[in-house]
């Protein structure tokens, strides 16, 4: 038993597994807060459905998704750039709704909005948006239909099984790519 464990340890795959298991114990507790599928309370109840319904593109607010690892969130200045032009509020005909008053307060104070992360994997996993978008996937494949949600929530738990399931499904006729996409070192390094 001990001998078998030692030989597993000397295997690079065993070592990587142990390292990850070790990291997982430490980051697991913090990560546990975010693995739920319910929407966390946010500083502003930002309605995705309304904005997506108006035809604002995902990439307008999350431009990093096709260029880099992280998709990014819009700054309060970007929100306000559009909101200050809405004439019914600007000319005082209609009072600014409560959530937009909060937005204005952030802009006036020049203070960034501290959004609570929703879609997140632990630090010991490397996820990069760019290759996924380049491979032709849509936001919807992983984040669900955002035109139906108000405050963002995950349509599924973003765990290892979820990543691997898709990596397997997308490489049925490409064994070389499959080996790479199922290799521990592709996501853990
Ligand atoms: C491209 C323009 C545009 C951008 C960018 C934009 N919004 Fe909006 N937003 C709108 C429009 C149009 C409405 C609907 C306006 C209305 O009738 O109240 C709206 C509605 C809202 C509402 C609902 C207001 C209510 O009636 O309760 C909130 C809250 C809001 N936006 C917050 C934000 C925040 C926060 C950002 C930045 C993350 C943002 N918006 C970025 C155009 C924009
Ligand atoms: C007007 C700007 C705007 C548009 C358009 C927009 N989003 Fe967002 N998105 C935000 C803001 C602000 C947040 C942070 C608040 C929240 O999590 O609800 C956010 C959060 C998210 C999150 C969770 C992020 C996290 O921190 O974990 C995902 C996923 C997401 N958006 C996907 C999309 C997709 C997909 C589309 C297009 C269908 C889209 N968004 C369109 C502004 C926008
Ligand atoms: C292959 C699945 C997949 C696709 C496709 C995808 N995402 Fe993501 N997204 C994720 C994962 C996984 C995370 C968590 C990443 C992390 O914690 O490093 C994430 C995180 C995010 C976040 C919050 C953190 C950040 O990166 O800034 C936003 C916003 C987001 N995605 C928007 C989008 C948009 C917009 C699109 C489409 C252009 C998109 N995503 C396409 C899987 C995906
Ligand atoms: C809906 C399907 C899908 C999901 C879910 C998914 N992926 Fe992928 N992923 C792909 C495809 C397709 C590629 C291949 C891109 C290509 O053709 O090179 C890929 C490639 C990758 C690569 C290799 C990128 C490169 O530089 O070549 C990494 C790393 C990766 N994914 C990590 C993840 C992680 C981590 C998760 C889960 C948090 C995940 N993926 C979830 C479809 C998916
Ligand atoms: C496509 C990306 C991907 C590949 C390939 C991958 N993992 Fe993971 N792994 C993840 C993600 C995402 C998590 C974090 C979410 C979770 O705990 O399921 C994770 C978590 C883990 C954990 C922590 C377990 C836990 O329950 O917290 C271990 C250990 C692990 N991976 C080992 C491996 C080993 C060994 C391999 C190779 C056989 C491997 N992984 C291949 C994405 C991947």
């Amino acid at each position: 038993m001990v001998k078998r464990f030692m030989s597993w340890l000397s295997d690079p795959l065993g070592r990587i597994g142990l390292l990850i298991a070790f990291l997982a114990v430490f980051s697991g507790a913090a990560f546990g807060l975010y693995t739920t599928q319910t929407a966390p309370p946010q500083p502003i109840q930002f309605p995705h459905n309304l904005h997506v319904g108006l035809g604002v593109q995902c990439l307008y607010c999350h431009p990093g998704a096709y260029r880099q690892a992280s998709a990014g969130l819009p700054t309060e200045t970007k929100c306000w750039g559009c909101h200050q032009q809405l004439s019914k509020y600007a000319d005082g005909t209609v009072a600014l709704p409560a959530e937009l008053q909060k937005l204005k307060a952030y802009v006036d104070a020049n203070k960034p909005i501290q959004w609570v992360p929703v879609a997140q994997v632990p630090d010991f996993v490397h996820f990069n948006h760019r290759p996924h978008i380049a491979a032709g996937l849509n936001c919807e494949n992983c984040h669900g239909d955002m035109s139906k949600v108000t405050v963002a929530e995950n349509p599924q738990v973003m765990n290892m099984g979820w990543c691997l399931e898709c990596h397997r499904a997308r490489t049925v006729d490409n064994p070389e790519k499959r080996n790479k996409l199922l290799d521990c070192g592709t996501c853990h390094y």
Side-chain angles (χ1 to χ4, degrees):
M1 175 65 206
V2 171
K3 212 167 152 204
R4 265 185 40 214
F5 181 67
M6 294 313 282
S7 69
W8 179 76
L9 268 188
S10 63
D11 174 354
L13 208 142
R15 283 201 300 265
I16 212 170
L18 196 71
L19 177 72
I20 296 161
F22 187 73
L23 287 169
V25 171
F26 287 96
S27 61
F31 181 62
L33 287 171
Y34 299 119
T35 49
T36 56
Q37 279 165 271
T38 47
Q42 294 288 357
I44 296 177
Q45 298 292 104
F46 171 78
H48 263 91
N49 52 358
L50 211 145
H51 292 86
V52 175
L54 286 166
V56 189
Q57 298 299 305
C58 312
L59 289 173
Y60 178 77
C61 289
H62 306 295
Y66 78 116
R67 294 194 231 118
Q68 60 196 43
S70 123
L73 295 178
T75 60
E76 70 285 359
T77 328
K78 191 168 210 168
C79 310
W80 196 241
C82 195
H83 273 276
Q84 69 177 350
Q85 294 175 40
L86 300 181
S87 59
K88 61 177 177 182
Y89 304 126
D91 66 17
T93 328
V94 182
L96 206 57
E99 296 305 306
L100 291 176
Q101 282 180 23
K102 290 190 205 163
L103 171 62
K104 186 166 186 304
Y106 279 102
V107 177
D108 289 344
N110 195 11
K111 214 173 100 199
I113 307 169
Q114 301 288 335
W115 300 109
V116 180
V118 179
Q120 205 183 29
V121 292
D123 287 347
F124 58 89
V125 181
H126 289 263
F127 178 82
N128 188 334
H129 275 90
R130 192 166 50 91
H132 290 94
I133 304 304
L137 292 174
N138 297 316
C139 315
E140 205 173 325
N141 290 126
C142 300
H143 296 298
D145 186 354
M146 298 297 286
S147 71
K148 298 217 163 59
V149 301
T150 51
V151 176
E153 55 190 276
N154 289 323
Q156 72 279 305
V157 177
M158 295 180 148
N159 60 16
M160 183 158 118
W162 173 68
C163 313
L164 294 179
E165 197 181 307
C166 182
H167 283 187
R168 257 189 221 105
R170 302 262 169 177
T171 52
V172 183
D173 42 304
N174 190 338
E176 205 177 313
K177 193 174 259 183
R178 171 171 282 204
N179 281 343
K180 190 192 164 203
L181 292 190
L182 299 185
D183 188 90
C184 319
T186 300
C187 301
H188 305 294
Y189 56 88

